[in-house]
Amino acid sequence: MTVAQAQPNIALIKYWGKRDHARNLPATGSLSLTLDTLWTRMDVRFSDSGGADRLSVNGAEDTPMLARVSACLDRLCGPGRPPATIASTANFPVRAGLASSASAFAALVTAASAAAGQSRDRQALARMAGAASGSAARSLYPGIVELTVDDEQISARTIIAVDEWPLRIVVAITADAAKPVSSGEAMSRSAATSPFYGAWVERQDHDLEAARSAVRRRDFERLAAVSEHNCLKMHSVMWTSRPAIVYWNAATVACMETVHELQRAGVPVFFTIDAGPQVKAVCLPDAEARVAEALSSTPGVQRVMRSGLGEGARVLGSGDP
Ligand code: DP6
């Protein structure tokens, strides 16, 4: 058995749309923060005694996810590989817009590659994780991560290490339920039907450059402006798809208002939202307590989770069960 851990990552410049569905290659680059306190742990065991792959998530058999996990293991180890028993544990809600597939596939490729005795480097593992879930490639890397893509492949790298800019993230949980439409399906619908999709893709390099330069200069205000703008553009593409894709609820909007009130009071904070109703507020360390307090008391917020920047996926241990 081999156990690996990966943390989810939160994109500030989003991945929304694919250039190649078969290889799961994103249409554009993206930029994200790898978290530290939220995690997924994957225990992978290959068996010599035949049978089929088995997957449990937080102790319960999970059939909907199994096909994606098996396909990922086939790409990693070849289709003639032995069957695997995979146990996944996460300390945060899964399939609820908290990037649980990112941490899950980053941890899966890391554990399975080690269990199979392979010596793939981080970039090779990132490509394997990305083929399963585009955002998962970024969770192989620590700190602030940029993913670039061409027609052949993706590349990911850390642009700012964990201790180089101690950003804090406060996640407001507004609903625990799994999302109604998967991100993959929603992206296809956006590309096929939103009149804004072309403009979204065209401006991504511009937003990436603005975010990269803000990060390098530790310019929080500029990072805040481009991140909120990029998030709202992605959601505008979703909203203008047919049928419309709306992941927000009333508490999501209330949290956005809370963040803007804090900004008006001079607090260094901004929001971002992914394919779900949770709001992620990014702030400087001195503002964290105030941001957490304000979001906790926003109507409809169930609880908040706090995080800093964290490490990339890694093996925690291996040996006989
Ligand atoms: C809104 O990585 O879940 O979180 O490649 O189809 O598995 P697939 O999509 P996924 O999409 C993530 C979308 C997002 C934005 C982001 O993380 O960049």
Side-chain angles (χ1 to χ4, degrees):
M1 56 155 268
T2 304
V3 182
Q5 173 171 319
Q7 288 92 245
N9 67 79
I10 304 294
L12 301 185
I13 304 300
K14 311 287 190 185
Y15 147 48
W16 195 254
K18 304 178 200 257
R19 67 177 63 199
D20 180 335
H21 284 262
R23 289 187 294 157
N24 205 42
L25 279 182
T28 69
S30 53
L31 185 141
S32 62
L33 312 177
T34 299
L35 304 185
D36 64 351
T37 54
L38 283 65
W39 49 254
T40 301
R41 292 187 184 139
M42 282 277 176
D43 176 334
V44 176
R45 298 153 202 239
F46 287 108
S47 118
D48 322 312
S49 52
D53 291 338
R54 295 185 60 187
L55 169 70
S56 66
V57 176
N58 292 333
E61 202 85 18
D62 189 311
T63 10
M65 188 77 172
L66 181 60
R68 263 176 99 186
V69 165
S70 294
C72 177
L73 294 178
D74 288 349
R75 277 190 298 270
L76 193 77
C77 303
R81 67 176 170 84
T85 302
I86 308 114
S88 168
T89 323
N91 71 342
F92 62 99
V94 297
R95 297 191 197 107
L98 283 172
S100 58
S101 67
S103 50
F105 284 106
L108 178 70
V109 297
T110 304
S113 171
Q118 299 174 351
S119 55
R120 287 181 196 264
D121 64 13
R122 204 174 274 276
Q123 195 66 252
L125 290 175
R127 288 180 180 139
M128 282 290 159
S133 187
S135 55
R138 300 183 308 235
S139 276
L140 264 298
Y141 288 84
I144 304 185
V145 177
E146 182 172 359
L147 183 144
T148 52
V149 59
D150 60 26
D151 285 340
E152 297 309 315
Q153 60 189 11
I154 56 147
S155 301
R157 70 195 165 108
T158 293
I159 56 170
I160 292 288
V162 172
D163 52 4
E164 286 180 320
W165 199 16
L167 296 177
R168 302 293 303 174
I169 300 97
V170 179
V171 181
I173 308 285
T174 67
D176 270 337
K179 59 180 109 170
V181 190
S182 74
S183 357
E185 189 186 329
M187 283 181 205
S188 303
R189 194 189 297 171
S190 291
T193 63
S194 170
F196 299 166
Y197 181 76
W200 157 255
V201 170
E202 204 175 300
R203 289 294 283 178
Q204 273 304 85
D205 280 348
H206 175 270
D207 288 6
L208 268 170
E209 171 53 31
R212 198 184 304 120
S213 112
V215 162
R216 289 216 172 105
R217 291 166 197 204
R218 316 289 192 272
D219 185 337
F220 188 85
E221 241 174 84
R222 288 185 68 179
L223 184 63
V226 70
S227 300
E228 285 194 3
H229 176 65
N230 193 267
C231 163
L232 292 173
K233 269 197 299 190
M234 177 183 75
H235 286 277
S236 305
V237 170
M238 296 178 188
W239 282 39
T240 49
S241 299
R242 291 185 167 186
I245 304 147
V246 180
Y247 287 114
W248 300 359
N249 59 32
T252 313
V253 179
C255 287
M256 293 161 70
E257 279 170 10
T258 297
V259 168
H260 281 169
E261 266 165 35
L262 287 165
Q263 286 175 352
R264 283 193 288 275
V267 178
V269 59
F270 64 88
F271 65 73
T272 190
I273 306 159
D274 293 296
Q278 331 303 355
V279 176
K280 293 101 181 199
V282 180
C283 62
L284 292 176
D286 287 351
E288 182 182 356
R290 191 158 167 199
V291 169
E293 163 58 33
L295 285 173
S296 300
S297 47
T298 297
V301 172
Q302 298 178 356
R303 63 186 188 285
V304 300
M305 299 175 90
R306 301 180 186 203
S307 180
L309 298 183
E311 294 305 318
R314 63 218 171 270
V315 172
L316 293 183
S318 54
D320 293 329

